[in-house]
Amino acid sequence: MQHSPKREIKVQCAAMGSFKCSVFILVLHLLEGTVSKSLIQLNNNGYEGIVIAIDPNVPEDETLIQQIKDMVTQASPYLFEATERRFYFKKVAILIPEKWKTKPEYVRPKLETYKNADVLVAEPTAPGNDEPYTEQMGNCGEKGERIHFTPDFLAGKKLAQYGPQGRVFVHEWAHLRWGVYDEYNNNQKFYFSNGKRQAVRCSADITGKNVIKKCQGGSCVTKSCKLDKVTGLYEEGCEFIPHGLQTVKASIMFAQSIDSVVEFCTEKNHNKEAPNLQNQKCNLRSTWEVISDSEDFKKTTPMTTQPPTPTFSLLQIGQRIVCLVLDKSGSMANGDRLNRLNQAGKLFLLQTVEQGSWVGMVTFDSVAHVQSELIQINSDVERNALTRSLPTVAAGGTSICSGLRSAFAVIRKKYSTDGSEIVLLTDGEDNTISSCFNEVKQSGAIIHTVALGPSAARELEELSKMTGGLQTYASDQAQNNGLIDAFGALSSGNGADSQRSIQLESKGLTLQNNQWMNGTVLVDSTVGKDTLFLITWTKQPPKILLWDPSKKKQDGFVVDANTKMAYLQIPGTAKVGIWSYSLQASSQTLTLTVTSRPSSATVPPITVTSKINKNTGKFPSAMTVYAKIHQGASPILRATVTAIIESVNGKTVTLELLDNGAGADATKDDGVYSRYFTAYNANGRYSVKVWALGGINAASQRLIPQQNGAMYIPGWIENGEVNWNPPRPEINKDDPQSKQVCFSRTSSGGSFVASGVPQAPIPDLFPPCQITDLKAKIHGYKFINLTWTAPGDDYDHGRAHKYIIRISANILDLRDKFNDSIQVNTSDLIPKEANSEEVFVFTPENITFENGTDLFIAVQAVDKANLKSEISNIARVSLFIPPEIPPEIPGPSLPCPEINVNSTIPGLHILKIMWKWLGELQLSVALG
């Protein structure tokens, strides 16, 4: 029976005092809703649990720590006043790399890791590219992933370009915490409004000049911008340069670097017409309106006193300490679970866990059994010794808390439990699990949970949620390889990338009558060290054939008949290229898993990090699956990415994830691939696995599109003069990381729990997704050309039934009174399959459309059940008809005396000047 969270709270509170109970309720409350690894909490208007991590590759520099402190300290009062005395920064943890010198004031982290850091300080992707930015995967109002700063930015070397570091931190915090967007636009810096050219800015009261910098032969001059004869806007390269001295107070999301700017744009002063991401993503709402709708805002009131200054804790990463807590109860004998546990456990111990880590092991049934005290892994000797401690007999009941308490005791014999990790696997129900929730919270340990089979304790995931651990689920379908995937995903949250175990392949198949399982694995140049091929079976050892890229057959597989597995460790660094395998068997299930480590300590590997947007999915709420594919900080573009989602009954759904900036995908070409999931088929747990392949079209891209981050100010006007900032550094097109990449990866995306799913047939309650990339252009001063990415029948799957397109001369009327706006005839517009490009051309009717007219357009998709999408982003066109150039009218032919241009006749030079002036005057009149 599944207990409600409220029942769990009541049970736990009965065993606690009032203070501990209130803390516990706060913890559970913070865990509800969206998936977030962040430890941030809002406590009495102050943000606590902020984690700022210094990347392990940053050279040791103690001044960097003080610079971080200074930034946050400066940011806090700025945030406080900008939010009308509602929020400030209270407690911040700074994660210091393990390789830096130890100090007495540096303590071991608890739940803080690089994986859950809110801010990462790292070297730039290219020299001089110190742009601060925030990763945002979701929609407007949804929390971001992480803020990125560089050491040079924190050192104050970019003050002229971005302004004070504390102000920039507040700009980025608004991205991270409240899901707002920027109010500038690097791709379109000017637009028409009522026939007048305007710079994209917010508020529109910010003053400046539109100028261009022209350089030749090492000297540069500033000129007024010329007009583009086709668009009527300013020429390419034209910049809006703000005055250094302003009186306007908004907006922080446009240019916090302007001294007078101390507020966010509000409904009253927000520039709704500016073509920027804030308007596109947030339905023309101001940043303050979005912030006001946040949960943070709703549960706070303005303070009447000044906030305290932030406090800081300095945490230094130490050796990894992990204890396996494994269920060996009687139910583990079902479905070959115990043997599959041994296979997955051996992968973790032989390959996944890093050298130098301390590992212990506890098993449990009705009571706990210590199988191994903590052992430091220095060689294969320790790894093999630990594998011999894995359980081989299943019997007894299930007491999860006994296992956890025993693990704490094992760890405390050598170390504090702060920052230690526990890998907890169970397949059984246990209605006493909540009795140790408070001990878990107080321990400071991170608990990763693996739910095996359909009956694992319903409260199990609460342990990973409250400690920031990984939450996974594996079904009894061995061919899906879920258990091995779950253990393979448990690399250190604090280890350097060069030590990380990376899964290249994970496949399974049930074979009959001596069938073959054939395939290839791509080993790219960024991996190859410690490469392991692992094969499992359910009955008899299969025939195993493996060839390296040079077609040389590989022998030497270690066969473990008892565990029904065989593995081969490739010595040294595996050859780059395509490895081929053939496995033959009858009437049994085989799986193949390939893992490796980075080949270089200096060149970052290609990594795939996958996740879902929520821990729980309540039908008919769609889930979103994300896969971030990067090489260091550079996105990998044009990869083929597939998510496999397996429900509690073993059924799988395959989704192609896309980086197209439409549907579930927030930003095109940012290396984050996304898709909605709506194909629920049962209540209970679902696992997510992502497979990514980079072929001839995939590329590592250092030239990143517009980030969500502070604007790079091209220059300032001071005392009437334009002072230009240095231009952004150009990207080196010959950089090896900007070229084609071929690779293969698999990644566990964790798990979620679905509820409210009705019995089949499941009704159609999913509308088409919102169109977010609508664009409009004018052709021939008469026709409007629309393009957008097609939504589906169910969010971004299938095909919509029809489109409704409406237009208006007033942008707010179109947003707020869409159904009353003029409808365009779309009888000939038949929707395409989801994620196809739609093109539609029409002539505006029943509306004035003349020179200088602004016209706003929006689209709504409707499915066959008459469910309607949200209204699209609003596109605009401004009709600009350039003035006609009258034909040159020849004057009367008059006889002219021949004049010697070198003559010294008096007054001849005056005649020359007049003749030239008349010619220029005639040309000026002709051009209007």
Side-chain angles (χ1 to χ4, degrees):
M1 177 179 176
Q2 185 172 0
H3 302 300
S4 70
K6 289 183 180 178
R7 181 183 182 279
E8 291 171 13
I9 290 171
K10 288 178 181 178
V11 169
Q12 187 65 18
C13 285
M16 302 182 194
S18 60
F19 173 74
K20 288 184 177 179
C21 181
S22 64
V23 171
F24 183 72
I25 292 173
L26 173 64
V27 170
L28 285 188
H29 174 73
L30 291 169
L31 295 173
E32 293 172 359
T34 59
V35 169
S36 176
K37 295 179 180 177
S38 175
L39 303 176
I40 296 172
Q41 297 182 21
L42 180 59
N43 184 10
N44 293 330
N45 300 87
Y47 287 108
E48 302 177 343
I50 303 167
V51 178
I52 301 179
I54 301 172
D55 187 82
N57 293 321
V58 172
E60 183 167 356
D61 181 4
E62 279 188 50
T63 60
L64 186 57
I65 297 172
Q66 187 58 48
Q67 289 161 358
I68 292 171
K69 291 181 178 181
D70 291 344
M71 176 186 70
V72 178
T73 303
Q74 294 163 9
S76 190
Y78 187 65
L79 175 71
F80 185 67
E81 296 301 330
T83 57
E84 299 180 354
R85 305 174 67 87
R86 281 184 180 270
F87 308 117
Y88 68 98
F89 297 121
K90 190 174 183 181
K91 293 182 180 180
V92 177
I94 301 176
L95 272 186
I96 299 167
E98 182 179 2
K99 291 182 180 179
W100 286 27
K101 293 176 184 175
T102 60
K103 284 196 163 189
E105 60 267 34
Y106 298 170
V107 299
R108 184 176 173 85
K110 293 187 177 182
L111 307 183
E112 301 89 353
T113 68
Y114 280 101
K115 285 186 177 179
N116 62 26
D118 306 293
V119 182
L120 181 66
V121 180
E123 295 293 329
T125 55
N129 182 18
D130 296 286
E131 180 175 353
Y133 69 96
T134 303
E135 295 177 65
Q136 287 181 272
M137 291 185 181
N139 296 317
C140 179
E142 295 183 7
K143 291 181 175 66
E145 297 296 306
R146 179 176 289 178
I147 296 169
H148 292 257
F149 293 133
T150 68
D152 277 359
F153 167 80
L154 288 170
K157 297 180 181 180
K158 304 294 175 179
L159 280 174
Q161 293 91 328
Y162 297 108
Q165 301 93 311
R167 286 179 168 232
V168 174
F169 186 37
V170 172
H171 178 108
E172 303 306 331
W173 184 263
H175 284 304
L176 180 78
R177 189 66 186 178
W178 303 310
V180 300
Y181 288 85
D182 293 316
E183 293 167 336
Y184 63 92
N185 188 341
N186 280 334
N187 299 319
Q188 182 185 342
K189 298 188 176 183
F190 301 94
Y191 67 103
F192 274 113
S193 178
N194 296 320
K196 295 182 179 180
R197 298 167 191 89
Q198 298 284 352
V200 175
R201 63 199 192 279
C202 194
S203 71
D205 295 330
I206 292 174
T207 61
K209 290 182 180 179
N210 306 319
V211 294
I212 190 168
K213 188 178 184 181
K214 298 280 189 179
C215 297
Q216 187 174 7
S219 63
C220 299
V221 294
T222 300
K223 295 185 176 182
S224 296
C225 298
K226 295 179 181 179
L227 299 182
D228 185 300
K229 295 178 181 179
V230 176
T231 65
L233 295 173
Y234 296 115
E235 62 183 311
E236 186 176 351
C238 183
E239 299 280 3
F240 173 76
I241 306 296
H243 289 107
L245 292 177
Q246 307 260 355
T247 58
V248 65
K249 293 186 176 182
S251 167
I252 290 171
M253 298 313 291
F254 172 69
Q256 77 294 322
S257 51
I258 296 174
D259 286 345
S260 64
V261 169
V262 292
E263 298 175 354
F264 293 98
C265 261
T266 65
E267 186 177 9
K268 291 181 179 179
N269 60 15
H270 178 57
N271 184 0
K272 299 175 179 64
E273 292 191 2
N276 55 37
L277 276 179
Q278 175 63 25
N279 281 329
Q280 180 183 342
K281 298 279 190 182
C282 298
N283 198 20
L284 312 181
R285 291 187 298 159
S286 68
T287 51
W288 187 246
E289 288 175 271
V290 176
I291 293 169
S292 300
D293 282 342
S294 69
E295 289 301 314
D296 288 356
F297 193 94
K298 292 174 183 176
K299 61 187 179 186
T300 55
T301 56
M303 292 175 62
T304 57
T305 58
Q306 288 297 314
T309 57
T311 60
F312 300 88
S313 54
L314 305 181
L315 313 178
Q316 188 166 34
I317 302 302
Q319 294 170 320
R320 188 181 189 190
I321 302 164
V322 58
C323 187
L324 300 180
V325 179
L326 308 175
D327 188 346
K328 60 175 283 294
S329 62
S331 56
M332 286 293 291
N334 299 333
D336 203 29
R337 290 176 187 167
L338 193 67
N339 191 64
R340 290 174 58 214
L341 163 60
N342 273 260
Q343 295 168 348
K346 286 188 176 180
L347 173 68
F348 177 79
L349 295 168
L350 294 174
Q351 178 74 3
T352 305
V353 70
E354 299 80 5
Q355 286 287 100
S357 301
W358 290 84
V359 181
M361 189 184 304
V362 170
T363 59
F364 67 91
D365 40 52
S366 302
V367 294
H369 313 271
V370 176
Q371 302 297 332
S372 174
E373 302 290 350
L374 288 180
I375 298 174
Q376 187 172 30
I377 295 180
N378 295 312
S379 67
D380 289 344
V381 173
E382 293 83 15
R383 294 181 184 274
N384 290 324
L386 284 162
T387 63
R388 291 191 289 272
S389 299
L390 289 164
T392 56
V393 177
T398 304
S399 177
I400 292 171
C401 285
S402 295
L404 291 174
R405 291 180 180 120
S406 182
F408 294 152
V410 166
I411 294 168
R412 285 175 180 139
K413 286 182 180 180
K414 268 194 172 298
Y415 295 102
S416 163
T417 51
D418 286 348
S420 64
E421 298 171 73
I422 289 175
V423 178
L424 171 62
L425 175 141
T426 184
D427 74 336
E429 296 186 15
D430 181 358
N431 57 15
T432 66
I433 187 172
S434 60
S435 66
C436 58
F437 277 3
N438 193 50
E439 293 169 70
V440 167
K441 182 62 182 173
Q442 299 299 324
S443 72
I446 299 167
I447 298 184
H448 309 290
T449 58
V450 183
L452 177 57
S455 303
R458 300 300 179 189
E459 298 88 347
L460 182 66
E461 282 81 5
E462 294 298 335
L463 294 168
S464 52
K465 290 176 192 175
M466 72 172 64
T467 63
L470 183 63
Q471 165 184 319
T472 56
Y473 160 69
S475 75
D476 285 329
Q477 304 298 316
Q479 72 272 16
N480 294 333
N481 213 23
L483 197 53
I484 283 178
D485 291 339
F487 274 76
L490 294 170
S491 58
S492 172
N494 288 322
D497 277 348
S498 60
Q499 296 299 315
R500 179 177 177 180
S501 177
I502 296 173
Q503 193 163 292
L504 308 185
E505 186 60 281
S506 170
K507 281 188 176 179
L509 192 64
T510 299
L511 302 178
Q512 306 291 342
N513 302 321
N514 287 318
Q515 287 179 311
W516 289 90
M517 175 177 164
N518 301 314
T520 59
V521 179
L522 186 58
V523 176
D524 60 275
S525 61
T526 70
V527 294
K529 186 180 176 184
D530 294 341
T531 302
L532 181 80
F533 286 78
L534 174 68
I535 294 156
T536 72
W537 56 89
T538 53
K539 292 183 179 178
Q540 298 294 328
K543 184 175 183 179
I544 301 172
L545 300 174
L546 176 67
W547 299 270
D548 72 9
S550 64
K551 306 303 180 184
K552 181 181 179 181
K553 187 173 178 292
Q554 302 294 299
D555 297 314
F557 273 88
V558 176
V559 178
D560 184 344
N562 292 330
T563 313
K564 300 175 184 175
M565 61 183 284
Y567 58 91
L568 175 66
Q569 189 95 41
I570 305 299
T573 301
K575 286 185 179 179
V576 173
I578 297 174
W579 292 64
S580 305
Y581 64 86
S582 292
L583 311 176
Q584 186 183 37
S586 294
S587 304
Q588 63 171 327
T589 298
L590 307 183
T591 73
L592 170 82
T593 306
V594 184
T595 64
S596 189
R597 295 191 197 279
S599 56
S600 168
T602 56
V603 177
I606 295 168
T607 58
V608 178
T609 307
S610 49
K611 58 171 276 187
I612 63 273
N613 67 322
K614 292 182 288 188
N615 288 314
T616 56
K618 187 169 178 61
F619 184 89
S621 173
M623 302 292 292
T624 308
V625 183
Y626 300 105
K628 176 184 172 184
I629 309 180
H630 276 56
Q631 184 177 8
S634 302
I636 302 295
L637 309 184
R638 300 182 295 279
T640 300
V641 186
T642 304
I644 301 169
I645 300 175
E646 182 185 9
S647 65
V648 69
N649 57 22
K651 294 181 179 179
T652 59
V653 174
T654 300
L655 300 177
E656 181 185 5
L657 307 188
L658 302 171
D659 187 14
N660 62 353
D665 193 60
T667 305
K668 183 177 181 179
D669 290 343
D670 65 346
V672 177
Y673 298 73
S674 319
R675 200 73 182 271
Y676 288 114
F677 170 75
T678 59
Y680 296 95
N681 58 58
N683 290 306
R685 293 183 175 98
Y686 287 69
S687 66
V688 180
K689 174 179 175 177
V690 168
W691 178 72
L693 180 66
I696 57 173
N697 293 321
S700 175
Q701 185 67 35
R702 282 206 172 201
L703 184 57
I704 300 173
Q706 175 174 326
Q707 301 280 0
N708 302 309
M711 179 170 66
Y712 186 103
I713 299 291
W716 297 95
I717 298 175
E718 297 176 9
N719 300 320
E721 296 290 325
V722 175
N723 295 322
W724 292 92
N725 284 323
R728 281 192 178 122
E730 292 187 7
I731 303 299
N732 180 10
K733 295 180 180 179
D734 295 326
D735 192 309
Q737 289 189 40
S738 298
K739 296 183 179 180
Q740 171 188 322
V741 289
C742 296
F743 67 93
S744 66
R745 299 286 187 275
T746 59
S747 170
S748 171
S751 63
F752 64 91
V753 179
S755 62
V757 181
Q759 295 289 329
I762 295 175
D764 181 1
L765 298 178
F766 296 104
C769 65
Q770 181 190 27
I771 295 165
T772 59
D773 62 348
L774 178 67
K775 296 180 179 65
K777 289 184 179 180
I778 292 179
H779 286 289
Y781 313 126
K782 180 180 179 182
F783 301 103
I784 296 177
N785 182 297
L786 300 180
T787 59
W788 68 91
T789 302
D793 179 83
D794 297 337
Y795 283 82
D796 53 4
H797 302 277
R799 185 197 298 260
H801 178 61
K802 65 178 181 179
Y803 293 117
I804 299 171
I805 300 177
R806 295 185 184 273
I807 58 177
S808 176
N810 185 294
I811 193 170
L812 291 182
D813 282 351
L814 186 61
R815 182 191 71 174
D816 300 333
K817 303 174 184 177
F818 180 78
N819 292 332
D820 297 331
S821 300
I822 296 170
Q823 185 167 353
V824 175
N825 184 351
T826 57
S827 57
D828 294 333
L829 178 57
I830 300 173
K832 296 179 181 178
E833 279 291 322
N835 298 300
S836 303
E837 184 186 27
E838 297 278 23
V839 179
F840 182 67
V841 180
F842 71 97
T843 302
E845 297 177 350
N846 303 317
I847 194 169
T848 302
F849 194 52
E850 56 190 20
N851 200 15
T853 299
D854 299 327
L855 198 62
F856 303 95
I857 308 111
V859 182
Q860 188 175 49
V862 185
D863 71 7
K864 59 182 179 292
N866 206 35
L867 298 172
K868 296 179 179 179
S869 72
E870 295 180 53
I871 298 165
S872 72
N873 65 291
I874 295 178
R876 67 180 295 154
V877 291
S878 298
L879 183 57
F880 169 75
I881 302 175
E884 293 186 11
I885 300 175
E888 184 178 343
I889 302 174
S893 298
L894 297 175
C896 295
E898 289 188 8
I899 299 176
N900 183 354
V901 295
N902 296 315
S903 172
T904 58
I905 298 173
L908 181 60
H909 69 286
I910 298 174
L911 182 60
K912 290 180 186 177
I913 293 170
M914 290 180 66
W915 193 265
K916 181 179 179 183
W917 176 77
L918 285 169
E920 290 178 348
L921 178 63
Q922 183 182 14
L923 178 61
S924 176
V925 171
L927 292 175

